[in-house]
mmCIF file of all heavy atoms in Angstrom:
data_model
loop_
_atom_site.group_PDB
_atom_site.id
_atom_site.type_symbol
_atom_site.label_atom_id
_atom_site.label_comp_id
_atom_site.label_asym_id
_atom_site.label_seq_id
_atom_site.Cartn_x
_atom_site.Cartn_y
_atom_site.Cartn_z
ATOM 1 N N ASN A 142 -18.444 -6.882 34.181
ATOM 2 C CA ASN A 142 -18.229 -6.114 35.409
ATOM 3 C C ASN A 142 -17.272 -4.952 35.204
ATOM 4 O O ASN A 142 -17.257 -4.002 36.002
ATOM 5 C CB ASN A 142 -17.720 -7.023 36.525
ATOM 6 C CG ASN A 142 -18.764 -8.029 36.969
ATOM 7 O OD1 ASN A 142 -19.946 -7.706 37.059
ATOM 8 N ND2 ASN A 142 -18.348 -9.251 37.239
ATOM 9 N N ASP A 143 -16.456 -5.028 34.142
ATOM 10 C CA ASP A 143 -15.544 -3.926 33.829
ATOM 11 C C ASP A 143 -16.261 -2.740 33.200
ATOM 12 O O ASP A 143 -15.679 -1.662 33.057
ATOM 13 C CB ASP A 143 -14.430 -4.406 32.887
ATOM 14 C CG ASP A 143 -13.506 -5.425 33.540
ATOM 15 O OD1 ASP A 143 -13.440 -5.440 34.784
ATOM 16 O OD2 ASP A 143 -12.863 -6.201 32.809
ATOM 17 N N ALA A 144 -17.521 -2.956 32.776
ATOM 18 C CA ALA A 144 -18.255 -1.905 32.070
ATOM 19 C C ALA A 144 -19.454 -1.398 32.862
ATOM 20 O O ALA A 144 -19.804 -0.202 32.742
ATOM 21 C CB ALA A 144 -18.730 -2.433 30.712
ATOM 22 N N LEU A 145 -20.094 -2.239 33.640
ATOM 23 C CA LEU A 145 -21.303 -1.836 34.348
ATOM 24 C C LEU A 145 -21.017 -0.672 35.303
ATOM 25 O O LEU A 145 -20.030 -0.674 36.020
ATOM 26 C CB LEU A 145 -21.878 -3.017 35.127
ATOM 27 C CG LEU A 145 -22.363 -4.209 34.276
ATOM 28 C CD1 LEU A 145 -22.915 -5.309 35.155
ATOM 29 C CD2 LEU A 145 -23.407 -3.760 33.252
ATOM 30 N N GLY A 146 -21.889 0.319 35.261
ATOM 31 C CA GLY A 146 -21.733 1.488 36.105
ATOM 32 C C GLY A 146 -20.891 2.585 35.471
ATOM 33 O O GLY A 146 -20.829 3.692 36.010
ATOM 34 N N ARG A 147 -20.281 2.294 34.325
ATOM 35 C CA ARG A 147 -19.478 3.318 33.647
ATOM 36 C C ARG A 147 -20.312 4.010 32.570
ATOM 37 O O ARG A 147 -21.309 3.474 32.093
ATOM 38 C CB ARG A 147 -18.216 2.698 33.043
ATOM 39 C CG ARG A 147 -17.250 2.221 34.117
ATOM 40 C CD ARG A 147 -16.004 1.590 33.535
ATOM 41 N NE ARG A 147 -15.064 1.224 34.597
ATOM 42 C CZ ARG A 147 -14.074 1.991 35.001
ATOM 43 N NH1 ARG A 147 -13.862 3.160 34.430
ATOM 44 N NH2 ARG A 147 -13.270 1.588 35.965
ATOM 45 N N THR A 148 -19.865 5.186 32.156
ATOM 46 C CA THR A 148 -20.604 6.021 31.220
ATOM 47 C C THR A 148 -20.005 5.932 29.830
ATOM 48 O O THR A 148 -18.782 6.025 29.668
ATOM 49 C CB THR A 148 -20.594 7.486 31.705
ATOM 50 O OG1 THR A 148 -21.154 7.552 33.005
ATOM 51 C CG2 THR A 148 -21.396 8.369 30.756
ATOM 52 N N LEU A 149 -20.867 5.772 28.822
ATOM 53 C CA LEU A 149 -20.403 5.722 27.442
ATOM 54 C C LEU A 149 -20.006 7.118 26.963
ATOM 55 O O LEU A 149 -20.772 8.076 27.120
ATOM 56 C CB LEU A 149 -21.493 5.169 26.537
ATOM 57 C CG LEU A 149 -21.765 3.664 26.608
ATOM 58 C CD1 LEU A 149 -23.015 3.326 25.799
ATOM 59 C CD2 LEU A 149 -20.578 2.877 26.088
ATOM 60 N N SER A 150 -18.844 7.219 26.368
ATOM 61 C CA SER A 150 -18.394 8.505 25.815
ATOM 62 C C SER A 150 -18.819 8.671 24.373
ATOM 63 O O SER A 150 -18.682 9.752 23.795
ATOM 64 C CB SER A 150 -16.869 8.616 25.911
ATOM 65 O OG SER A 150 -16.244 7.572 25.166
ATOM 66 N N SER A 151 -19.365 7.595 23.772
ATOM 67 C CA SER A 151 -19.876 7.663 22.398
ATOM 68 C C SER A 151 -21.008 6.655 22.267
ATOM 69 O O SER A 151 -21.090 5.683 23.022
ATOM 70 C CB SER A 151 -18.762 7.367 21.385
ATOM 71 O OG SER A 151 -18.206 6.088 21.604
ATOM 72 N N ALA A 152 -21.886 6.884 21.298
ATOM 73 C CA ALA A 152 -23.025 5.996 21.088
ATOM 74 C C ALA A 152 -22.557 4.656 20.517
ATOM 75 O O ALA A 152 -21.540 4.567 19.823
ATOM 76 C CB ALA A 152 -24.027 6.658 20.137
ATOM 77 N N VAL A 153 -23.326 3.607 20.809
ATOM 78 C CA VAL A 153 -23.020 2.268 20.304
ATOM 79 C C VAL A 153 -24.285 1.692 19.683
ATOM 80 O O VAL A 153 -25.363 1.700 20.305
ATOM 81 C CB VAL A 153 -22.536 1.329 21.428
ATOM 82 C CG1 VAL A 153 -22.118 -0.028 20.834
ATOM 83 C CG2 VAL A 153 -21.394 1.942 22.203
ATOM 84 N N ALA A 154 -24.179 1.214 18.435
ATOM 85 C CA ALA A 154 -25.326 0.611 17.758
ATOM 86 C C ALA A 154 -25.623 -0.757 18.356
ATOM 87 O O ALA A 154 -24.752 -1.386 18.983
ATOM 88 C CB ALA A 154 -25.040 0.496 16.268
ATOM 89 N N ALA A 155 -26.831 -1.240 18.164
ATOM 90 C CA ALA A 155 -27.192 -2.572 18.631
ATOM 91 C C ALA A 155 -26.255 -3.601 17.996
ATOM 92 O O ALA A 155 -26.036 -3.599 16.782
ATOM 93 C CB ALA A 155 -28.641 -2.878 18.270
ATOM 94 N N GLY A 156 -25.684 -4.446 18.822
ATOM 95 C CA GLY A 156 -24.744 -5.458 18.326
ATOM 96 C C GLY A 156 -23.325 -4.964 18.192
ATOM 97 O O GLY A 156 -22.421 -5.741 17.872
ATOM 98 N N GLY A 157 -23.095 -3.664 18.431
ATOM 99 C CA GLY A 157 -21.747 -3.104 18.345
ATOM 100 C C GLY A 157 -20.917 -3.470 19.558
ATOM 101 O O GLY A 157 -21.432 -3.523 20.680
ATOM 102 N N ALA A 158 -19.651 -3.727 19.335
ATOM 103 C CA ALA A 158 -18.756 -4.087 20.447
ATOM 104 C C ALA A 158 -18.536 -2.878 21.345
ATOM 105 O O ALA A 158 -18.327 -1.761 20.865
ATOM 106 C CB ALA A 158 -17.421 -4.594 19.903
ATOM 107 N N VAL A 159 -18.592 -3.104 22.637
ATOM 108 C CA VAL A 159 -18.274 -2.061 23.618
ATOM 109 C C VAL A 159 -16.797 -2.192 23.970
ATOM 110 O O VAL A 159 -16.334 -3.276 24.338
ATOM 111 C CB VAL A 159 -19.157 -2.208 24.879
ATOM 112 C CG1 VAL A 159 -18.760 -1.176 25.924
ATOM 113 C CG2 VAL A 159 -20.631 -2.040 24.499
ATOM 114 N N ARG A 160 -16.050 -1.093 23.846
ATOM 115 C CA ARG A 160 -14.611 -1.125 24.045
ATOM 116 C C ARG A 160 -14.231 -0.287 25.262
ATOM 117 O O ARG A 160 -14.921 0.674 25.627
ATOM 118 C CB ARG A 160 -13.880 -0.619 22.806
ATOM 119 C CG ARG A 160 -14.258 -1.369 21.532
ATOM 120 C CD ARG A 160 -13.306 -1.034 20.393
ATOM 121 N NE ARG A 160 -13.261 0.385 20.095
ATOM 122 C CZ ARG A 160 -14.082 1.022 19.272
ATOM 123 N NH1 ARG A 160 -15.048 0.358 18.655
ATOM 124 N NH2 ARG A 160 -13.959 2.325 19.046
ATOM 125 N N ALA A 161 -13.129 -0.646 25.872
ATOM 126 C CA ALA A 161 -12.689 0.023 27.098
ATOM 127 C C ALA A 161 -12.493 1.516 26.890
ATOM 128 O O ALA A 161 -12.779 2.318 27.778
ATOM 129 C CB ALA A 161 -11.403 -0.626 27.605
ATOM 130 N N GLU A 162 -12.013 1.909 25.703
ATOM 131 C CA GLU A 162 -11.736 3.322 25.464
ATOM 132 C C GLU A 162 -13.020 4.143 25.314
ATOM 133 O O GLU A 162 -12.958 5.378 25.283
ATOM 134 C CB GLU A 162 -10.838 3.518 24.240
ATOM 135 C CG GLU A 162 -11.321 2.841 22.983
ATOM 136 C CD GLU A 162 -10.748 1.452 22.786
ATOM 137 O OE1 GLU A 162 -10.509 0.753 23.780
ATOM 138 O OE2 GLU A 162 -10.538 1.084 21.609
ATOM 139 N N MET A 163 -14.172 3.484 25.227
ATOM 140 C CA MET A 163 -15.453 4.190 25.145
ATOM 141 C C MET A 163 -15.998 4.565 26.534
ATOM 142 O O MET A 163 -16.970 5.302 26.621
ATOM 143 C CB MET A 163 -16.509 3.296 24.481
ATOM 144 C CG MET A 163 -16.297 2.979 23.041
ATOM 145 S SD MET A 163 -17.624 1.871 22.491
ATOM 146 C CE MET A 163 -17.320 1.817 20.734
ATOM 147 N N LEU A 164 -15.385 4.026 27.584
ATOM 148 C CA LEU A 164 -15.989 4.106 28.912
ATOM 149 C C LEU A 164 -15.333 5.151 29.817
ATOM 150 O O LEU A 164 -14.112 5.286 29.824
ATOM 151 C CB LEU A 164 -15.921 2.734 29.588
ATOM 152 C CG LEU A 164 -16.548 1.576 28.802
ATOM 153 C CD1 LEU A 164 -16.346 0.272 29.545
ATOM 154 C CD2 LEU A 164 -18.021 1.832 28.523
ATOM 155 N N ARG A 165 -16.145 5.858 30.553
ATOM 156 C CA ARG A 165 -15.663 6.799 31.550
ATOM 157 C C ARG A 165 -16.048 6.276 32.922
ATOM 158 O O ARG A 165 -17.124 5.684 33.112
ATOM 159 C CB ARG A 165 -16.278 8.189 31.359
ATOM 160 C CG ARG A 165 -15.925 8.857 30.057
ATOM 161 C CD ARG A 165 -16.217 10.366 30.141
ATOM 162 N NE ARG A 165 -17.601 10.618 30.528
ATOM 163 C CZ ARG A 165 -18.592 10.869 29.689
ATOM 164 N NH1 ARG A 165 -18.357 10.878 28.391
ATOM 165 N NH2 ARG A 165 -19.811 11.106 30.133
ATOM 166 N N ALA A 166 -15.172 6.490 33.877
ATOM 167 C CA ALA A 166 -15.453 6.045 35.238
ATOM 168 C C ALA A 166 -16.663 6.780 35.782
ATOM 169 O O ALA A 166 -16.896 7.949 35.447
ATOM 170 C CB ALA A 166 -14.244 6.284 36.128
ATOM 171 N N PRO A 167 -17.459 6.144 36.644
ATOM 172 C CA PRO A 167 -18.620 6.816 37.212
ATOM 173 C C PRO A 167 -18.206 7.963 38.127
ATOM 174 O O PRO A 167 -17.165 7.912 38.773
ATOM 175 C CB PRO A 167 -19.321 5.698 38.000
ATOM 176 C CG PRO A 167 -18.235 4.722 38.312
ATOM 177 C CD PRO A 167 -17.305 4.770 37.154
ATOM 178 N N MET A 168 -19.052 8.994 38.184
ATOM 179 C CA MET A 168 -18.803 10.109 39.069
ATOM 180 C C MET A 168 -19.141 9.705 40.510
ATOM 181 O O MET A 168 -20.251 9.229 40.770
ATOM 182 C CB MET A 168 -19.659 11.317 38.677
ATOM 183 C CG MET A 168 -19.364 11.900 37.301
ATOM 184 S SD MET A 168 -17.736 12.646 37.125
ATOM 185 C CE MET A 168 -16.924 11.432 36.073
ATOM 186 N N VAL A 169 -18.189 9.827 41.410
ATOM 187 C CA VAL A 169 -18.448 9.519 42.818
ATOM 188 C C VAL A 169 -18.761 10.792 43.603
ATOM 189 O O VAL A 169 -19.224 10.725 44.739
ATOM 190 C CB VAL A 169 -17.264 8.762 43.461
ATOM 191 C CG1 VAL A 169 -17.084 7.409 42.821
ATOM 192 C CG2 VAL A 169 -15.978 9.580 43.374
ATOM 193 N N VAL A 170 -18.498 11.943 42.979
ATOM 194 C CA VAL A 170 -18.823 13.240 43.572
ATOM 195 C C VAL A 170 -19.474 14.101 42.498
ATOM 196 O O VAL A 170 -18.932 14.226 41.393
ATOM 197 C CB VAL A 170 -17.566 13.945 44.139
ATOM 198 C CG1 VAL A 170 -17.887 15.388 44.537
ATOM 199 C CG2 VAL A 170 -17.010 13.187 45.340
ATOM 200 N N GLN A 171 -20.610 14.678 42.824
ATOM 201 C CA GLN A 171 -21.316 15.552 41.899
ATOM 202 C C GLN A 171 -21.200 17.007 42.362
ATOM 203 O O GLN A 171 -21.163 17.289 43.559
ATOM 204 C CB GLN A 171 -22.807 15.160 41.829
ATOM 205 C CG GLN A 171 -23.056 13.731 41.409
ATOM 206 C CD GLN A 171 -22.856 13.504 39.928
ATOM 207 O OE1 GLN A 171 -22.839 14.472 39.155
ATOM 208 N NE2 GLN A 171 -22.700 12.254 39.521
ATOM 209 N N GLN A 172 -21.143 17.928 41.395
ATOM 210 C CA GLN A 172 -21.084 19.353 41.720
ATOM 211 C C GLN A 172 -22.281 19.741 42.597
ATOM 212 O O GLN A 172 -23.427 19.388 42.293
ATOM 213 C CB GLN A 172 -21.073 20.199 40.452
ATOM 214 C CG GLN A 172 -20.950 21.692 40.702
ATOM 215 C CD GLN A 172 -20.847 22.477 39.407
ATOM 216 O OE1 GLN A 172 -20.811 21.909 38.324
ATOM 217 N NE2 GLN A 172 -20.786 23.780 39.511
ATOM 218 N N GLY A 173 -22.014 20.462 43.672
ATOM 219 C CA GLY A 173 -23.061 20.880 44.591
ATOM 220 C C GLY A 173 -23.385 19.863 45.667
ATOM 221 O O GLY A 173 -24.139 20.156 46.610
ATOM 222 N N GLN A 174 -22.801 18.660 45.566
ATOM 223 C CA GLN A 174 -23.076 17.608 46.548
ATOM 224 C C GLN A 174 -22.391 17.911 47.882
ATOM 225 O O GLN A 174 -21.262 18.419 47.924
ATOM 226 C CB GLN A 174 -22.574 16.266 46.001
ATOM 227 C CG GLN A 174 -22.679 15.098 46.973
ATOM 228 C CD GLN A 174 -22.028 13.841 46.425
ATOM 229 O OE1 GLN A 174 -21.768 13.733 45.225
ATOM 230 N NE2 GLN A 174 -21.770 12.886 47.293
ATOM 231 N N LYS A 175 -23.070 17.584 48.961
ATOM 232 C CA LYS A 175 -22.449 17.687 50.281
ATOM 233 C C LYS A 175 -21.489 16.522 50.437
ATOM 234 O O LYS A 175 -21.840 15.367 50.229
ATOM 235 C CB LYS A 175 -23.511 17.660 51.380
ATOM 236 C CG LYS A 175 -22.948 17.873 52.792
ATOM 237 C CD LYS A 175 -24.051 17.877 53.823
ATOM 238 C CE LYS A 175 -23.493 18.099 55.227
ATOM 239 N NZ LYS A 175 -24.582 18.126 56.263
ATOM 240 N N VAL A 176 -20.238 16.808 50.790
ATOM 241 C CA VAL A 176 -19.206 15.766 50.921
ATOM 242 C C VAL A 176 -18.561 15.852 52.299
ATOM 243 O O VAL A 176 -18.698 16.869 53.003
ATOM 244 C CB VAL A 176 -18.111 15.912 49.822
ATOM 245 C CG1 VAL A 176 -18.705 15.695 48.438
ATOM 246 C CG2 VAL A 176 -17.447 17.286 49.900
ATOM 247 N N ARG A 177 -17.870 14.794 52.623
ATOM 248 C CA ARG A 177 -17.109 14.744 53.875
ATOM 249 C C ARG A 177 -15.639 14.920 53.531
ATOM 250 O O ARG A 177 -15.051 14.107 52.819
ATOM 251 C CB ARG A 177 -17.318 13.410 54.577
ATOM 252 C CG ARG A 177 -16.804 13.356 56.012
ATOM 253 C CD ARG A 177 -17.628 14.225 56.902
ATOM 254 N NE ARG A 177 -17.246 14.098 58.315
ATOM 255 C CZ ARG A 177 -17.649 14.916 59.255
ATOM 256 N NH1 ARG A 177 -18.452 15.936 58.945
ATOM 257 N NH2 ARG A 177 -17.278 14.764 60.510
ATOM 258 N N VAL A 178 -15.042 16.009 53.984
ATOM 259 C CA VAL A 178 -13.638 16.295 53.716
ATOM 260 C C VAL A 178 -12.795 15.717 54.853
ATOM 261 O O VAL A 178 -13.014 16.046 56.026
ATOM 262 C CB VAL A 178 -13.388 17.816 53.601
ATOM 263 C CG1 VAL A 178 -11.907 18.095 53.354
ATOM 264 C CG2 VAL A 178 -14.239 18.412 52.492
ATOM 265 N N VAL A 179 -11.868 14.846 54.512
ATOM 266 C CA VAL A 179 -10.986 14.221 55.493
ATOM 267 C C VAL A 179 -9.577 14.742 55.256
ATOM 268 O O VAL A 179 -9.001 14.548 54.175
ATOM 269 C CB VAL A 179 -11.015 12.687 55.380
ATOM 270 C CG1 VAL A 179 -10.057 12.054 56.384
ATOM 271 C CG2 VAL A 179 -12.435 12.167 55.606
ATOM 272 N N MET A 180 -9.028 15.411 56.277
ATOM 273 C CA MET A 180 -7.676 15.979 56.166
ATOM 274 C C MET A 180 -6.730 15.189 57.045
ATOM 275 O O MET A 180 -7.029 14.921 58.219
ATOM 276 C CB MET A 180 -7.682 17.449 56.595
ATOM 277 C CG MET A 180 -8.627 18.321 55.809
ATOM 278 S SD MET A 180 -8.566 20.063 56.336
ATOM 279 C CE MET A 180 -9.842 20.776 55.306
ATOM 280 N N ARG A 181 -5.591 14.807 56.462
ATOM 281 C CA ARG A 181 -4.576 14.054 57.206
ATOM 282 C C ARG A 181 -3.258 14.801 57.139
ATOM 283 O O ARG A 181 -2.812 15.200 56.053
ATOM 284 C CB ARG A 181 -4.414 12.645 56.644
ATOM 285 C CG ARG A 181 -5.669 11.790 56.736
ATOM 286 C CD ARG A 181 -5.414 10.367 56.254
ATOM 287 N NE ARG A 181 -6.580 9.527 56.365
ATOM 288 C CZ ARG A 181 -7.486 9.360 55.408
ATOM 289 N NH1 ARG A 181 -7.325 9.988 54.254
ATOM 290 N NH2 ARG A 181 -8.536 8.583 55.584
ATOM 291 N N ALA A 182 -2.624 14.966 58.305
ATOM 292 C CA ALA A 182 -1.330 15.654 58.370
ATOM 293 C C ALA A 182 -0.607 15.198 59.632
ATOM 294 O O ALA A 182 -1.155 15.290 60.738
ATOM 295 C CB ALA A 182 -1.511 17.162 58.388
ATOM 296 N N GLY A 183 0.617 14.702 59.444
ATOM 297 C CA GLY A 183 1.428 14.300 60.595
ATOM 298 C C GLY A 183 0.781 13.242 61.466
ATOM 299 O O GLY A 183 0.928 13.261 62.688
#
Side-chain angles (χ1 to χ4, degrees):
N142 292 321
D143 294 338
L145 296 180
R147 293 179 176 266
T148 302
L149 286 172
S150 61
S151 59
V153 185
V159 176
R160 305 192 303 273
E162 53 267 33
M163 293 178 172
L164 304 177
R165 297 197 305 264
M168 297 294 108
V169 295
V170 170
Q171 302 285 342
Q172 183 176 357
Q174 175 186 343
K175 185 178 180 179
V176 296
R177 192 69 175 168
V178 179
V179 178
M180 303 181 183
R181 298 185 178 91

